[in-house]
Amino acid sequence: EMVLTQSPATLSLSPGERATLSCRSRQSVSSYLAWYQQKPGQAPRLLIYDASYRATGVPARFRGSGSGTDFTLTISSLEPEDFAVYYCQLRSDWMYTFGQGTKLEIK
Amino acid sequence: EVQLVESGGGLVKPGGSLRLSCAASGIAFNDAWMAWVRQAPGKGLEWVGRIKSKIDGPTTDYAAPVKGRFTISRDESMNTLYLQMSSLKTEDTAVYYCTTVLGNPPSYYYYYMGVWGKGTTVTVSS
């Protein structure tokens, strides 16, 4: 069973600071990894696909990187609207797996 | 504009059945791989199942907790995706989201959820 481990579980930062979120898989998935943002009461929103490509309309301050088993989502300078929960996700065979999420909260 | 609108959620007793619908617009539904993802109260996202496009199958795959109890189907004439849920358990209580599943050239490895509906709430309780 493929497992995705996100760290940290919670990240407390202030607006303007840089956020670094990690996602690690047990097996290599090449670059087939996506990131989502979810705000309270809303559906998730695709941010990044293929590890580093921003989805339509996603600001340039969001950057995805990594390949193989280790991936990172970096938000260069936090805006108030960026405080949310972030999930990574991949597919292994015909199973689709999400990480447990990182909650990015205002310090 | 691509839009997915789920409906059919509600309160159902353990052991009961429910059918969710997802009306799609603004996409070439015939060519779209689709999936259901759920989120239990206060928890993370959980993939439920996926159906390939009609032209690619349309075969289905399911997560272990729902396999044998849930069935995904699609109606191209209605641009609608369905999730038939039976033998419901209290742990199936969640918001259920309909999503598109996308992939890119050259591999067209369909794995990420591009568009999401707003979700419909299913509560399983006696």
Side-chain angles (χ1 to χ4, degrees), chain A residues 31-34 36 38 41-46 48-51 87 89-100, chain B residues 33 37 39 43-47 50 52 61-64 97 101-102 104 107 109-114 116-119:
Chain A
S31 295
Y32 297 127
L33 186 110
Y36 305 86
Q38 187 179 32
Q42 296 185 18
R45 167 199 178 196
L46 175 69
I48 302 286
Y49 62 92
D50 291 354
Y87 296 93
Q89 177 257 323
L90 54 72
R91 182 188 123 190
S92 175
D93 294 329
W94 294 116
M95 299 289 296
Y96 298 74
T97 301
F98 290 90
Q100 81 280 17
Chain B
W33 288 32
V37 174
Q39 186 169 38
K43 302 297 184 182
L45 301 172
E46 180 185 25
W47 171 71
R50 182 231 67 233
K52 296 183 183 179
D61 286 284
Y62 300 94
Y97 296 103
V101 182
L102 301 179
N104 297 304
S107 69
Y109 184 72
Y110 288 83
Y111 76 96
Y112 64 93
M113 318 302 180
W116 297 67
K118 294 188 187 307

Side-chain angles (χ1 to χ4, degrees), chain A residues 9-31:
Chain A
T10 303
L11 186 57
S12 300
L13 294 169
S14 301
E17 290 193 293
R18 179 187 189 92
T20 303
L21 287 67
S22 174
C23 177
R24 178 168 290 179
S25 65
R26 276 188 187 171
Q27 302 163 26
S28 175
V29 294
S30 185
S31 295

Side-chain angles (χ1 to χ4, degrees), chain B:
Chain B
E1 180 193 3
V2 179
Q3 198 170 12
L4 301 174
V5 180
E6 302 93 337
S7 61
L11 174 64
V12 60
K13 288 181 167 50
S17 298
L18 204 60
R19 189 178 81 159
L20 306 184
S21 300
C22 170
S25 59
I27 64 170
F29 187 74
N30 286 8
D31 297 334
W33 288 32
M34 304 292 295
W36 290 95
V37 174
R38 68 184 181 183
Q39 186 169 38
K43 302 297 184 182
L45 301 172
E46 180 185 25
W47 171 71
V48 171
R50 182 231 67 233
I51 186 167
K52 296 183 183 179
S53 64
K54 186 175 180 180
I55 198 170
D56 285 331
T59 55
T60 53
D61 286 284
Y62 300 94
V66 308
K67 195 169 186 178
R69 300 188 299 122
F70 289 12
T71 301
I72 298 175
S73 61
R74 58 193 299 157
D75 183 342
E76 272 66 22
S77 69
M78 300 286 288
N79 279 6
T80 299
L81 178 74
Y82 300 102
L83 178 65
Q84 178 69 48
M85 304 184 293
S86 60
S87 302
L88 281 161
K89 306 174 181 180
T90 55
E91 52 264 41
D92 294 320
T93 294
V95 175
Y96 284 74
Y97 296 103
C98 166
T99 77
T100 59
V101 182
L102 301 179
N104 297 304
S107 69
Y108 288 101
Y109 184 72
Y110 288 83
Y111 76 96
Y112 64 93
M113 318 302 180
V115 179
W116 297 67
K118 294 188 187 307
T120 187
T121 301
V122 173
T123 303
V124 184
S125 174
S126 55

Side-chain angles (χ1 to χ4, degrees), chain A residues 12-86:
Chain A
S12 300
L13 294 169
S14 301
E17 290 193 293
R18 179 187 189 92
T20 303
L21 287 67
S22 174
C23 177
R24 178 168 290 179
S25 65
R26 276 188 187 171
Q27 302 163 26
S28 175
V29 294
S30 185
S31 295
Y32 297 127
L33 186 110
W35 290 92
Y36 305 86
Q37 177 193 64
Q38 187 179 32
K39 298 179 181 179
Q42 296 185 18
R45 167 199 178 196
L46 175 69
L47 289 180
I48 302 286
Y49 62 92
D50 291 354
S52 61
Y53 291 84
R54 283 189 300 276
T56 302
V58 175
R61 63 181 181 272
F62 290 89
R63 187 173 76 89
S65 61
S67 66
T69 60
D70 290 292
F71 300 87
T72 301
L73 176 67
T74 303
I75 311 171
S76 58
S77 178
L78 285 165
E79 297 288 341
E81 62 266 29
D82 299 336
F83 292 91
V85 180
Y86 293 83

